[in-house]
């Protein structure tokens, strides 16, 4: 056991010595390509009655939203993460509204100045979220795995979920207490059961969890505190993220490319803080709910 530990320590030391020589260059830059994939269970959102052909068609239309390619450009202190413009395509048909609920543009991070900038579109309005870097209390697990040619280490953290994060929407669980309440009210609403069945508020059926656990796999062979999207804070480049139903996996890394790119801060949109933006999202969602209920005659009375 001690021998194995010693061998691992020596191996890690060699990795660090080799990679530190690379990142010691004043003009060091790297580029990483990530594939992001989000899974959706249609059965949890009223899809149980749909035919397999209909489900397949819906998933095909949602593919441009659920499967994306991003490029992370990074140096020792800064990074820029954005969708691959060559592959970017707009959401189609009835999926536009969902895309509008959280269409994320470029994300800029600076670990030296603790700066975080995110270009965010929300229902046709452009925002620039200007805040400090999100804090993650990463827990190292000691687990390792190989991703391509890189030895990666596992870390986990608990993340606060954004109000507009539709990728983590889920059908509400009907726990035993809620069931008992419904049974207690059964006698009172039985005479109005037809009207109750006619009105089904979708906002009553779904929820976004306040927190989820995030798993990251990072490599110390590239000792920069960078990663896809908002993720950072580990002693090496994050090559894989598992967050809710979304997996982000690095598929290609280029260190010191001949054609270096300037890492520019995003500047478009109304500047807001992270909390202010969350309040805007929550207010809009409440407006949508009120409009929906008004169109359905005010719902249950």
């Amino acid at each position: 056991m001690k021998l194995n530990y010693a061998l691992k320590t020596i191996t890690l030391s060699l990795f660090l010595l080799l990679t530190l020589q690379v990142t010691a260059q004043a003009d060091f830059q790297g580029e990483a390509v990530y594939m992001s994939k989000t899974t959706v269970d249609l059965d949890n959102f009223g899809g149980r009655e749909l035919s397999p052909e209909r489900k397949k068609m819906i998933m095909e239309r949602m593919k441009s939203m659920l499967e994306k390619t991003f490029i992370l450009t990074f140096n020792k202190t800064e990074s820029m993460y954005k969708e691959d413009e060559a592959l970017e395509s707009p959401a189609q048909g009835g999926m536009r509204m969902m895309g509008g609920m959280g269409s994320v543009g470029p994300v800029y991070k600076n670990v030296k100045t603790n700066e975080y900038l995110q270009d965010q579109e929300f229902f046709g309005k452009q925002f620039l979220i200007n805040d400090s870097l999100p804090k993650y209390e990463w827990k190292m697990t000691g687990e390792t795995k190989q991703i391509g040619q890189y030895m990666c280490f596992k870390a986990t953290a608990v993340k606060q979920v954004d109000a507009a994060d539709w990728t983590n929407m889920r059908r509400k669980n009907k726990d035993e207490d809620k069931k008992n309440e419904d049974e207690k009210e059964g006698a009172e609403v039985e005479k109005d059961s037809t009207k109750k069945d006619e009105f089904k508020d979708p906002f009553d059926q779904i929820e976004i969890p306040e927190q989820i656990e995030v798993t990251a796999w990072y490599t110390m062979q590239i000792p920069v505190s960078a990663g896809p999207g908002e993720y950072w804070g580990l002693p090496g480049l994050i090559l894989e993220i598992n967050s809710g139903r979304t997996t982000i996996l690095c598929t290609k890394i280029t260190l010191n490319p001949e054609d270096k790119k300037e890492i520019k801060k995003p500047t478009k949109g109304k500047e807001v803080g992270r909390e202010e933006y969350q309040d805007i999202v929550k207010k809009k969602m409440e407006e949508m709910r009120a409009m929906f209920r008004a169109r359905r005659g005010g719902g249950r009375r």
Side-chain angles (χ1 to χ4, degrees):
M1 185 70 71
K2 290 183 177 180
L3 180 59
N4 289 337
Y5 179 79
L7 288 173
K8 284 185 177 181
T9 302
I10 293 171
T11 302
L12 288 175
S13 298
L14 289 173
F15 277 148
L16 287 173
L17 284 173
L18 291 171
T19 53
L20 283 173
Q21 290 178 0
V22 175
T23 55
Q25 300 177 39
D27 59 347
F28 167 77
Q29 188 179 102
E31 185 175 278
V33 178
Y34 291 86
M35 295 292 294
S36 173
K37 185 173 183 178
T38 300
T39 60
V40 172
D41 186 354
L42 290 179
D43 289 346
N44 285 331
F45 295 94
R48 294 180 184 276
E49 299 177 1
L50 298 176
S51 66
E53 293 77 15
R54 180 65 174 168
K55 287 183 182 180
K56 183 178 179 180
M57 185 187 74
I58 292 174
M59 293 305 297
E60 283 296 323
R61 295 187 68 186
M62 294 179 68
K63 189 173 181 179
S64 63
M65 291 170 46
L66 301 177
E67 298 180 17
K68 292 179 177 288
T69 301
F70 293 87
I71 297 176
L72 177 72
T73 304
F74 59 91
N75 56 35
K76 290 184 290 185
T77 59
E78 297 176 287
S79 67
M80 175 66 78
Y81 182 76
K82 62 181 181 178
E83 188 171 353
D84 187 352
E85 295 177 355
L87 301 176
E88 186 177 0
S89 60
Q92 303 173 10
M95 302 305 160
R96 286 176 185 160
M97 188 190 78
M98 187 176 286
M101 288 176 63
S103 180
V104 181
V107 176
Y108 169 87
K109 302 192 294 289
N110 189 317
V111 299
K112 185 176 182 180
T113 62
N114 194 35
E115 192 174 4
Y116 178 90
L117 293 168
Q118 178 181 324
D119 184 332
Q120 178 83 43
E121 182 184 350
F122 183 68
F123 279 94
K125 294 183 179 180
Q126 201 74 26
F127 296 93
L128 179 64
I129 301 174
N130 187 346
D131 217 311
S132 56
L133 289 169
K135 295 180 179 179
Y136 295 104
E137 295 183 5
W138 294 108
K139 296 180 180 179
M140 311 303 183
T141 68
E143 296 178 58
T144 63
K145 75 172 182 178
Q146 197 82 7
I147 297 180
Q149 67 186 61
Y150 297 95
M151 173 65 72
C152 294
F153 299 84
K154 182 180 178 181
T156 62
V158 174
K159 170 191 171 182
Q160 299 294 322
V161 180
D162 292 342
D165 186 0
W166 60 268
T167 64
N168 280 300
M169 278 185 182
R170 64 189 184 192
R171 190 176 180 86
K172 287 183 178 178
N173 292 323
K174 304 296 182 180
D175 57 28
E176 199 62 34
D177 291 338
K178 184 66 171 65
K179 181 180 178 181
N180 292 336
E181 287 180 16
D182 290 342
E183 290 175 351
K184 189 182 294 184
E185 296 175 358
E188 299 177 8
V189 300
E190 184 176 358
K191 60 182 179 181
D192 199 28
S193 60
T194 303
K195 185 177 180 180
K196 181 177 180 180
D197 288 341
E198 289 176 352
F199 179 81
K200 292 184 179 180
D201 188 339
F203 293 90
D204 284 338
Q205 307 300 315
I206 61 174
E207 65 180 0
I208 297 177
E210 293 183 1
Q211 297 179 331
I212 56 172
E213 184 176 80
V214 176
T215 298
W217 292 91
Y218 66 96
T219 178
M220 289 193 290
Q221 291 174 255
I222 307 176
V224 294
S225 187
E230 65 195 78
Y231 300 105
W232 74 290
L234 287 164
L237 181 65
I238 298 173
L239 300 190
E240 182 178 334
I241 284 287
N242 295 289
S243 173
R245 294 193 302 271
T246 299
T247 296
I248 306 173
L249 178 64
C250 181
T251 58
K252 180 181 178 182
I253 295 176
T254 304
L255 297 178
N256 291 314
E258 293 183 7
D259 183 19
K260 287 185 169 58
K261 298 178 181 178
E262 184 180 357
I263 299 177
K264 294 182 179 180
K265 298 180 182 180
T267 58
K268 296 181 181 179
K270 178 184 177 182
E271 191 169 312
V272 294
R274 187 179 288 108
E275 290 187 6
E276 183 181 356
Y277 177 73
Q278 292 299 310
D279 289 340
I280 292 171
V281 171
K282 291 175 183 177
K283 183 178 179 181
K284 182 64 176 179
M285 299 302 285
E286 286 301 319
E287 289 178 0
M288 288 176 59
R289 180 171 187 172
M291 289 173 60
F292 178 84
R293 295 179 69 87
R295 286 199 299 268
R296 298 300 298 267
R300 290 168 289 187
R301 299 181 184 276

